[in-house]
Amino acid sequence: MAGMSDYLENKLIDHIFRARGFTAPTQLWVGLLTAAPSDAGGGTEVTGGSYARVTPGVNSDTAWTATQGGTPAAASSGTGGQTSNPNSLTFPAPTANWGVVTHMGIYDASTAGNLIGWVALGTPKTINNNAPAPY
């Protein structure tokens, strides 16, 4: 992730330093954004035209890689602090113009919920009505 949300930072600090409970979500959802979020959240998520967030599946070693991209059962290590999903994510085919997608957000729910983190796309992508499903 390029950016971690204030929501997640606060939950981690409370959990690690203050011994407060934190139940991690069992599944994360990926959303497409047409404007960048910030630590405080925000950004502009695509809406309408059959758009829906997608999930890599239940959080597991097969849904997300270790930070150094090791074997699925390997623990994260190193200094990169980044994970990725090893499988393709396919969004629904657009039935309206979605605009120019510039970022992806990671959320703890299929709709609404909390922004966990985000990353800018290497190249923004214009997604128009009747285009193939983006992935």
Side-chain angles (χ1 to χ4, degrees), residues 1-9 30-31 33 35-43 82 102-107 115-121:
M1 286 183 293
M4 192 179 297
S5 70
D6 288 341
Y7 167 81
L8 182 58
E9 291 169 350
V30 178
L33 304 165
S38 69
D39 282 1
Q82 294 183 354
T102 59
H103 292 75
M104 291 190 320
I106 307 290
Y107 298 87
L115 178 67
I116 301 295
W118 72 94
V119 64
L121 299 181

Side-chain angles (χ1 to χ4, degrees), residues 25-63:
T26 58
Q27 196 164 335
L28 296 172
W29 298 83
V30 178
L32 302 176
L33 304 165
T34 59
S38 69
D39 282 1
T44 304
E45 188 171 5
V46 171
T47 59
S50 298
Y51 170 78
R53 293 177 186 167
V54 296
T55 181
V58 174
N59 293 343
S60 66
D61 287 342
T62 57

Side-chain angles (χ1 to χ4, degrees), residues 85-102:
N85 61 298
N87 305 307
S88 294
L89 298 177
T90 303
F91 288 85
T95 58
N97 292 344
W98 290 358
V100 179
V101 174
T102 59

